[in-house]
């Protein structure tokens, strides 16, 4: 025994999330955000910290019951702006880097969504969602006796998980704040959503995202335009089906980098990194030869609010960006001549980062399975690294954390299947223990080499944990991520069961008569599918799941197009939708099934759980149903802290009962 403490559900209150590293213009200083859960308040508090890059010393800059986000240095490096919820709605604050109180510089009724400094340092571009016809200065009349109002819906995208019902008369607009006067001048107008992407270093150009299509029900575009600040004349950068964003000007303003993906494989399409040449008006896909997606596709439950740039330009027109590959998220380098290679090591998760303008070093927030995440200075040329923060150091020292071992096998159809296996934290040689199979959501996401509190909790209970990336997962080839579409419950199910058979064959410490399975979202669908197709598992827990693709089509915020993209069927082909619905196979279920679901989940609405529960109960199956109030699809990651603890207790309690 190590004498270390076992990981507990309540460790959520000890862990700290370190994100948003932003270097000052001369790269001698940085700011970053630390998020921690306040158990007494049952809330997340996020505060701004300052870092001296050379000495590695850091100091907390903001306090109180607030959440700080999106910190940015002024162009001269003398001030820092950030968004804060200290007055409930997100407003913009500016503070002097030399010290002193932060000054609130906006009073926008609906709050500020995002912002970028103008190069002059006297203005800040910002976005806010405004009611059509209203200005940034308008105030909402507060009526204590306001009566409920009906909501007229004329579009299909009328609700969104985490946001609720979408008012059709509100749109995101861009304005320009004059810091001294506090006046905000409107820059955009019209009943369209505008996103502020980038400001040129000369201050004369913006990159703006806007889709002006009249009917957007089946329109999945965010065109990007280069806009002249004075004349508002627009030059189209990209306008095609798919999502594109994260634009950034090169230091000489000649090039604009942006990320995104078209719809060749619908939402399974790999994201790429593109560069637009403003002089020649040509576009280059820098990552065309890379069979892996740009960006971060890792699913975990610890990091709060990372906000990594899509790409960072350095002197010489070099680029740095994230790539999701083989369980890792790595920092990559590219130039305009076609060079492309990793700039950070394997076996870790670079979940946020900044790069010095001279390209000599990166400031990166990095996690691995036994490190919740800290900031590191990465020397680009030598590969050397220096830890700059130690917020979770004592936690790591005190806890018995399990380092998973890599699992890899050849799956059906010639695909390699990759994942991880954890022994129990208190494993004693010669003993046999239960195994939990944990399946991720998405399905186009990825388990990775990142800290995952839930996995450590399960291992601390004395169980092994198997978590893999079946076909459909990101981080592998385009063919692999696309292979699940139209085949839910086919090759993906086979991958999971093949991985299970593989670890049972090679690890005698697993008790093959005591197997459990769980998963959320797509992982919940797969848990439902598994118990309807095999009785090998002695206990199962399905979370925020899909059980019936026919009703999902009409009740999910994404159902009417996601079903077509993923199942390759819509309401003109209910036979196919039903064939892939776990509810169809409810009569076969022999495994005790616990159903966990959030009441405000609009992605996989709770009626999916209700149908499954009542159907199983009517068939006299062993099942229970736990409903989480005031919670959406992201309960396990960003939900109310007390309910996150309850959820983990439900997981361990059910497996304890049946395994």
């Amino acid at each position: 025994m190590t004498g270390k403490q076992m990981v507990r559900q309540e460790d959520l209150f000890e862990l700290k999330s370190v994100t948003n590293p932003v270097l000052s213009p001369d790269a001698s200083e940085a700011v970053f955000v630390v998020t921690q859960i306040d158990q007494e308040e049952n809330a997340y508090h996020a505060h701004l910290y300052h870092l001296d890059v050379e000495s590695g010393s850091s100091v907390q800059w903001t306090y109180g019951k607030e959440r700080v986000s999106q910190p940015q240095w002024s162009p001269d490096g003398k001030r820092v702006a950030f968004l804060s919820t200290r007055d409930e709605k997100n407003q913009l604050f500016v503070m002097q880097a030399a010290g002193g109180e932060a000054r609130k510089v906006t009073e926008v009724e609906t709050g500020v969504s995002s912002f970028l400094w103008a190069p002059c340092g006297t203005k800040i571009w910002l976005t806010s969602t405004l009611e059509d016809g209203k200005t940034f200065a308008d105030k909402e009349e507060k009526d204590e006796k306001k009566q409920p109002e009906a909501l007229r819906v004329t579009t299909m995208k009328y609700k969104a998980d985490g946001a609720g019902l979408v008012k059709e008369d509100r749109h995101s607009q861009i304005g320009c704040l004059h810091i001294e006067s506090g006046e905000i001048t409107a820059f955009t107008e019209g009943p369209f959503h505008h996103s502020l992407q980038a400001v040129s270093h000369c201050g004369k150009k913006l990159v703006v995202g806007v889709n002006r299509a009249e009917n957007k029900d089946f329109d999945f575009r965010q065109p990007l335009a280069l806009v002249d600040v004075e004349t508002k004349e627009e030059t189209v950068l990209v306008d095609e089906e798919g999502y594109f964003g994260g634009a950034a000007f090169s230091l000489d303003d000649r090039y604009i980098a942006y990320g995104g993906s078209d719809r060749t494989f619908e939402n399974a399409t790999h994201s790429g990194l593109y560069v637009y040449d403003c002089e020649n008006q040509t576009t280059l896909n820098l990552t065309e030869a890379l069979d892996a997606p740009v960006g971060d596709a890792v699913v975990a439950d610890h990091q709060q609010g990372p906000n990594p740039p899509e790409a960072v330009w350095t002197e010489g027109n070099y680029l740095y960006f994230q790539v999701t590959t083989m369980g890792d998220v790595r920092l990559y380098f590219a130039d305009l001549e076609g060079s492309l290679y990793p700039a950070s090591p394997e076996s870790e998760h670079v979940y946020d980062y900044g790069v010095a303008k001279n390209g000599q070093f990166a400031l990166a927030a990095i996690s691995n399975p036994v490190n919740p995440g800290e900031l590191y200075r990465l020397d680009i040329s030598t590969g050397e690294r220096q830890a700059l923060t130690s917020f979770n150091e004592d936690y790591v020292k005190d806890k018995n954390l399990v380092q998973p071992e890599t699992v890899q096998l050849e799956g059906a159809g010639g695909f390699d299947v990759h994942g991880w296996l954890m022994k129990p934290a208190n494993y004693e040689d010669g003993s046999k223990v239960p195994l939990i199979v944990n399946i991720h959501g998405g399905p186009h996401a990825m388990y990775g080499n990142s800290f995952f509190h839930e996995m450590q909790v399960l291992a601390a209970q004395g169980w092994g944990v198997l978590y893999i990336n079946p076909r459909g997962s990101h981080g592998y080839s385009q063919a692999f991520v696309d292979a699940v579409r139209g085949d839910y419950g086919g090759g993906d199910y086979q991958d999971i069961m093949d991985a299970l058979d593989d670890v049972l064959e090679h690890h005698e410490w697993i008790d093959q008569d005591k197997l459990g399975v769980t998963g959320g979202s797509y992982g919940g669908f797969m848990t439902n599918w598994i118990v309807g197709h095999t009785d090998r598992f002695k206990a199962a827990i399905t979370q925020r799941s899909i059980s019936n693709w026919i009703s999902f089509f009409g009740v999910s915020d994404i159902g009417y197009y996601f079903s077509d993209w993923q199942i390759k069927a819509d309401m003109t082909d209910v036979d196919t939708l039903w064939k892939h619905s776990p509810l169809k196979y409810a009569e076969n279920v022999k495994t005790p099934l616990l159903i966990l679901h959030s009441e405000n989940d609009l992605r996989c609405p709770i009626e999916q759980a209700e149908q499954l529960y009542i159907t199983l109960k009517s068939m006299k199956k062993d099942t229970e149903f736990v409903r989480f109030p005031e919670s959406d699809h992201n309960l396990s990651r960003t939900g109310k802290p007390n309910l996150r603890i309850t959820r983990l207790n439900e997981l361990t309690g059910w497996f304890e009962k049946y395994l």
Side-chain angles (χ1 to χ4, degrees):
M1 299 293 287
T2 62
K4 293 186 175 184
Q5 299 174 355
M6 289 296 175
V7 174
R8 304 170 306 135
Q9 290 84 327
E10 291 77 14
D11 288 1
L12 285 177
F13 302 120
E14 295 180 47
L15 290 161
K16 295 182 179 178
S17 170
V18 186
T19 60
N20 288 230
V22 184
L23 286 158
S24 63
D26 67 1
S28 66
E29 305 170 83
V31 288
F32 60 96
V33 175
V34 177
T35 306
Q36 188 170 19
I37 296 173
D38 184 321
Q39 186 171 4
E40 191 174 314
E41 295 283 331
N42 196 33
Y44 301 85
H45 294 154
H47 294 116
L48 188 67
Y49 281 70
H50 174 268
L51 173 75
D52 183 291
V53 173
E54 200 57 43
S55 69
S57 62
S58 57
V59 61
Q60 187 170 343
W61 265 8
T62 66
Y63 296 84
K65 299 172 182 178
E66 65 175 339
R67 291 197 77 164
V68 164
S69 61
Q70 300 182 41
Q72 294 178 31
W73 291 87
S74 62
D76 62 6
K78 293 181 179 180
R79 290 163 295 167
V80 173
F82 56 90
L83 298 181
S84 171
T85 61
R86 63 182 64 177
D87 294 324
E88 292 189 18
K89 295 252 174 74
N90 246 353
Q91 299 292 353
L92 185 61
F93 289 75
V94 174
M95 68 188 302
Q96 298 293 324
E101 278 294 308
R103 180 168 72 96
K104 185 163 74 167
V105 295
T106 61
E107 283 279 6
V108 182
E109 178 61 37
T110 50
V112 176
S113 308
S114 67
F115 72 94
L116 291 170
W117 282 92
C120 62
T122 63
K123 298 185 291 186
I124 294 178
W125 294 93
L126 54 78
T127 65
S128 182
T129 300
L130 304 178
E131 190 175 325
D132 292 348
K134 291 201 171 182
T135 71
F136 286 93
D138 286 338
K139 301 297 178 191
E140 194 173 65
E141 294 181 14
K142 288 188 167 56
D143 183 358
E144 299 292 332
K145 299 177 182 177
K146 192 173 183 181
Q147 299 293 324
E149 296 178 357
L151 178 72
R152 183 180 303 280
V153 172
T154 63
T155 67
M156 297 177 81
K157 297 174 186 174
Y158 70 90
K159 60 183 178 180
D161 186 66
L165 296 175
V166 176
K167 293 186 177 180
E168 294 179 13
D169 63 348
R170 292 194 172 194
H171 294 91
S172 180
Q173 304 291 355
I174 298 172
C176 187
L177 167 73
H178 301 262
I179 298 174
E180 281 309 308
S181 68
E183 182 185 353
I184 302 174
T185 305
F187 185 73
T188 60
E189 60 183 7
F192 313 108
H193 289 293
H194 301 82
S195 67
L196 176 64
Q197 296 278 326
V199 182
S200 65
H201 297 90
C202 68
K204 296 178 180 179
K205 304 282 186 180
L206 299 182
V207 177
V208 172
V210 58
N211 183 347
R212 296 192 178 96
E214 198 167 312
N215 186 334
K216 301 183 184 71
D217 287 343
F218 289 95
D219 193 325
F220 303 95
R221 295 177 301 136
Q222 176 169 276
L224 298 183
L226 182 62
V227 185
D228 186 285
V229 169
E230 291 298 321
T231 66
K232 296 190 179 181
E233 182 183 346
E234 296 183 4
T235 302
V236 174
L237 300 185
V238 58
D239 184 5
E240 60 180 292
E241 288 287 314
Y243 178 82
F244 299 90
F249 282 90
S250 60
L251 300 183
D252 62 5
D253 281 340
R254 174 173 174 177
Y255 301 101
I256 301 169
Y258 60 90
S261 58
D262 60 26
R263 286 181 54 197
T264 304
F265 304 96
E266 301 298 4
N267 60 323
T269 310
H270 277 170
S271 293
L273 184 66
Y274 300 83
V275 171
Y276 176 82
D277 185 334
C278 296
E279 283 188 18
N280 300 329
Q281 296 188 326
T282 55
T283 302
L284 175 68
N285 180 354
L286 285 188
T287 56
E288 191 169 11
L290 185 67
D291 198 5
V294 168
D296 183 353
V298 163
V299 287
D301 60 0
H302 170 59
Q303 284 92 27
Q304 295 293 324
N307 189 30
E310 191 76 31
V312 172
W313 288 97
T314 61
E315 293 166 1
N317 287 333
Y318 301 126
L319 280 156
Y320 291 88
F321 51 96
Q322 293 164 303
V323 171
T324 292
T325 173
M326 288 294 291
D328 300 325
V329 176
R330 303 177 70 179
L331 200 59
Y332 261 65
F333 163 91
D335 64 24
L336 301 181
E337 308 304 316
S339 297
L340 183 69
Y341 54 79
S344 71
E346 296 178 335
S347 304
E348 61 185 24
H349 178 197
V350 178
Y351 61 88
D352 219 337
Y353 73 101
V355 183
K357 285 181 182 175
N358 61 15
Q360 291 184 0
F361 72 93
L363 190 61
I366 301 174
S367 173
N368 64 45
V370 292
N371 175 2
E374 302 288 355
L375 289 188
Y376 297 86
R377 176 179 169 141
L378 304 183
D379 188 294
I380 298 290
S381 58
T382 67
E384 294 177 6
R385 72 174 61 196
Q386 173 193 356
L388 296 175
T389 65
S390 55
F391 289 96
N392 295 297
E393 185 177 21
D394 289 342
Y395 179 85
V396 172
K397 284 180 181 176
D398 293 344
K399 296 294 179 177
N400 187 0
L401 298 172
V402 177
Q403 175 71 51
E405 65 174 273
T406 301
V407 172
Q408 191 151 348
L409 62 140
E410 186 177 328
F415 288 122
D416 283 347
V417 179
H418 176 231
W420 296 265
L421 177 66
M422 298 169 74
K423 269 189 175 179
N426 56 354
Y427 180 73
E428 295 179 2
D429 287 342
S431 60
K432 279 190 175 288
V433 300
L435 178 74
I436 310 297
V437 178
N438 203 332
I439 306 165
H440 69 63
H444 308 309
M446 180 187 77
Y447 279 140
N449 284 305
S450 188
F451 183 80
F452 210 130
H453 174 244
E454 177 183 317
M455 304 297 187
Q456 296 288 346
V457 166
L458 294 173
Q461 301 294 313
W463 306 318
V465 186
L466 173 65
Y467 54 108
I468 69 154
N469 289 322
R471 68 194 63 197
S473 302
H474 261 317
Y476 305 92
S477 70
Q478 180 65 80
F480 186 85
V481 71
D482 185 54
V484 73
R485 295 175 58 236
D487 189 38
Y488 271 48
D492 50 354
Y493 169 65
Q494 192 66 49
D495 287 344
I496 294 165
M497 301 308 289
D498 285 349
L500 175 61
D501 289 337
D502 184 77
V503 298
L504 291 177
E505 180 183 349
H506 294 102
H507 298 86
E508 293 184 355
W509 54 267
I510 301 171
D511 187 340
Q512 58 185 356
D513 294 323
K514 293 184 177 179
L515 303 176
V517 62
T518 187
S521 195
Y522 164 80
F525 157 83
M526 184 50 68
T527 300
N528 297 340
W529 186 268
I530 284 172
V531 296
H533 287 78
T534 179
D535 58 1
R536 290 181 65 180
F537 294 91
K538 293 297 178 282
I541 304 172
T542 184
Q543 307 170 60
R544 57 185 187 278
S545 73
I546 295 170
S547 67
N548 182 353
W549 287 105
I550 296 174
S551 63
F552 179 85
F553 184 92
V555 297
S556 168
D557 62 344
I558 62 172
Y560 74 92
Y561 58 86
F562 187 84
S563 302
D564 186 32
W565 291 0
Q566 293 293 307
I567 306 301
K568 297 189 176 179
D570 58 18
M571 292 300 283
T572 65
D573 184 7
V574 293
D575 289 344
T576 296
L577 294 175
W578 186 237
K579 184 180 82 169
H580 290 282
S581 296
L583 197 64
K584 177 181 179 180
Y585 309 97
E587 193 176 359
N588 302 337
V589 175
K590 297 177 182 176
T591 307
L593 180 66
L594 177 64
I595 302 169
L596 307 180
H597 218 106
S598 296
E599 293 186 346
N600 295 349
D601 190 338
L602 298 182
R603 184 60 37 88
C604 298
I606 197 167
E607 63 88 32
Q608 294 285 306
E610 293 168 336
Q611 289 188 70
L612 183 61
Y613 173 70
I614 292 299
T615 299
L616 292 175
K617 270 293 188 186
S618 72
M619 295 175 174
K620 306 296 188 287
K621 307 292 185 179
D622 190 351
T623 185
E624 294 180 17
F625 182 20
V626 180
R627 303 169 64 105
F628 294 87
E630 300 176 44
S631 303
D632 59 26
H633 197 63
N634 287 304
L635 166 66
S636 65
R637 299 175 283 264
T638 59
K640 289 185 180 295
N642 71 306
L643 294 180
R644 290 180 65 186
I645 300 293
T646 300
R647 172 188 161 273
L648 290 169
N649 287 334
E650 291 291 344
L651 282 176
T652 57
W654 191 258
F655 286 135
E656 186 71 44
K657 179 179 179 180
Y658 287 98
L659 299 182

